[in-house]
Amino acid sequence: VDVINMSLGSSYGQPFDDDLAVAVDNASALGVLTVASAGNSADKPYANGTPSSAASALSVAQTQVPSAELQLLSLKDTNYAAVFQPWSAPPSGLIAGPLQYGDGAGGNLNGCAPFPAGSLTGQVVLVDRGGCDFTLKIKNVGLGGGIVGIIGLVAPGAPFSGGDGGDRPIDIPGYMIDQADSNAFKAQVGSPVIIDPANGLPLVGQMVGSSSRGPQHDATTLLKPEIGAPGASVSAIAGTGTGTGPFGGTSGAAPMVAGSAALLLQAAPELSPAEVKARLMNNGETDIQTDPFSGLAPITRIGGGEVRADRALDAPAAAWDEDTLQGGLSFGFVDVDKDVVNLTKTVIVKNYSDQTINYEVKPGFRYEEDANSGAVSVSVPSGKVRVGAGSTQKVQV
């Protein structure tokens, strides 16, 4: 075994008291890389799950598939962002109908109970999240005659692709909107909602709202998740021979990175798990947005960026933390009780090529406001770092 994929985990995972995290580190010591899903607890600090929080695991966040679009629902000439639910029926054309909340009389607001047949005919029906599977809500709306089902969140957070509970039939489109938009919808019941498949925003290069945020949940607060990958894929259904179904979340993203690691090891089987991690993290695409409205995703959500197996394969060198062997630097939780606190890390740079490489080390900030605050300054050796062919060099940060 060269690579283990673990599409599983426990939210807010602490590796120091988790036996599976210990097993991951033991496997790494034997030369086996574990790629694990970061979890689907959304943009909440420290939500990253274990065993992906194990120091030697490669923790994977979820980014959007290249074809993904954010549907815009039009209500009284205002567009509202909605996430299409992949287990529902995509709209074949423009759909319009009056908005209704629950059964229209203050009942069945979460859509978990059946609606009488024909009671929702021609309606676009909003129901609250909670109480039952996402799929059951949209199924009930469709069986009641509704033409579109909308799940409104009842707490702050970004809408996402809800899990498939297996409820069928689902013959209508289903969407999810955030709490603020859901409240806005409830204030406009009876107004027409328009769903035009052409009215959408491309989501390639952006986070999926449900992907868990880090950092690692213990005293070291390591950078977690460490990399991202598209995760809303089509997967074979075991035992059917020909059946396929949606497979999403960070559980779907982790196998993309496990496959990328396998490609690296096929080309360079001598690489250690730490070196594979570093090469993947060093060469990720860092221009990843949180969503169409919020700008660059925090490092605690995307780590080293979205995976690029080709860049990692072509890279002549890699860099990692001498102590943690991680392809990124984490200075831990710092309880600042002095005017100035100095922290130092040592970076190992390894040259895999047959030629000397000269690097200029130039620190920068991901966000302009962090640079402008002056709270943190980063110092590195001036000039260039020379790394001979097949050798390593150390850099103090």
Side-chain angles (χ1 to χ4, degrees):
V1 176
D2 296 303
V3 182
I4 297 172
N5 183 85
M6 284 187 169
S7 291
L8 49 83
S10 177
S11 297
Y12 296 94
Q14 301 180 123
F16 62 82
D17 61 359
D18 179 71
D19 56 350
L20 195 53
V22 174
V24 167
D25 287 337
N26 289 342
S28 299
L30 295 173
V32 180
L33 173 66
T34 298
V35 180
S37 52
N40 307 301
S41 296
D43 191 5
K44 303 168 187 174
Y46 301 102
N48 185 87
T50 191
S52 84
S53 60
S56 64
L58 181 52
S59 178
V60 184
Q62 183 189 7
T63 55
Q64 300 281 0
V65 294
S67 60
E69 281 195 342
L70 185 65
Q71 179 68 56
L72 297 176
L73 309 182
S74 180
L75 177 63
K76 285 192 173 180
D77 299 323
T78 300
N79 286 325
Y80 296 89
V83 174
F84 175 72
Q85 302 303 297
W87 32 258
S88 68
S92 58
L94 190 145
I95 303 175
L99 176 65
Q100 180 166 305
Y101 177 33
D103 65 5
N108 201 13
L109 299 182
N110 62 11
C112 291
F115 295 97
S119 64
L120 306 179
T121 299
Q123 307 283 321
V124 175
V125 181
L126 171 70
V127 294
D128 291 332
R129 181 187 182 180
C132 62
D133 291 336
F134 299 113
T135 44
L136 182 60
K137 297 172 185 288
I138 304 302
K139 172 188 174 182
N140 286 339
V141 170
L143 293 179
I147 55 175
V148 173
I150 303 173
I151 300 167
L153 296 183
V154 295
F160 55 92
S161 295
D164 185 350
D167 304 283
R168 296 296 186 273
I170 299 176
D171 301 321
I172 62 170
Y175 297 93
M176 184 184 292
I177 60 177
D178 67 21
Q179 183 185 29
D181 289 349
S182 180
N183 291 337
F185 271 47
K186 292 170 185 177
Q188 301 179 72
V189 168
S191 300
V193 178
I194 301 172
I195 298 98
D196 182 354
N199 186 20
L201 296 173
L203 293 178
V204 61
Q206 299 183 32
M207 298 298 302
V208 171
S210 57
S211 183
S212 289
R213 185 169 183 160
Q216 182 198 61
H217 192 206
D218 73 1
T220 61
T221 58
L222 287 178
L223 174 64
K224 296 282 181 174
E226 294 154 295
I227 200 164
S233 308
V234 173
S235 174
I237 296 177
T240 63
T242 59
T244 60
F247 181 46
T250 57
S251 287
M256 296 288 187
V257 176
S260 300
L263 290 173
L264 272 181
L265 286 169
Q266 182 182 18
E270 74 280 2
L271 294 177
S272 69
E275 289 174 292
V276 174
K277 275 185 63 172
R279 287 181 67 154
L280 289 171
M281 290 178 66
N282 292 170
N283 295 284
E285 174 54 58
T286 58
D287 186 16
I288 302 298
Q289 309 291 308
T290 296
D291 54 46
F293 317 104
S294 304
L296 284 171
I299 292 172
T300 50
R301 295 205 74 194
I302 192 58
E306 188 177 63
V307 67
R308 293 292 186 271
D310 53 344
R311 296 181 193 172
L313 188 64
D314 294 339
W320 58 86
D321 185 328
E322 182 181 43
D323 294 327
T324 67
L325 305 182
Q326 198 184 35
L329 298 184
S330 302
F331 286 87
F333 176 79
V334 181
D335 192 0
V336 179
D337 60 351
K338 301 179 179 67
D339 290 342
V340 177
V341 177
N342 292 309
L343 305 166
T344 303
K345 282 281 189 177
T346 300
V347 176
I348 302 293
V349 183
K350 182 172 182 178
N351 181 358
Y352 296 94
S353 75
D354 57 4
Q355 298 180 353
T356 296
I357 303 176
N358 291 309
Y359 283 111
E360 180 183 3
V361 184
K362 187 177 180 181
F365 287 85
R366 186 159 176 80
Y367 299 116
E368 184 177 353
E369 57 264 34
D370 289 340
N372 293 338
S373 76
V376 174
S377 61
V378 183
S379 60
V380 295
S382 58
K384 294 184 177 180
V385 175
R386 182 181 178 89
V387 191
S391 66
T392 61
Q393 188 61 268
K394 294 183 179 182
V395 177
Q396 295 290 317
V397 180

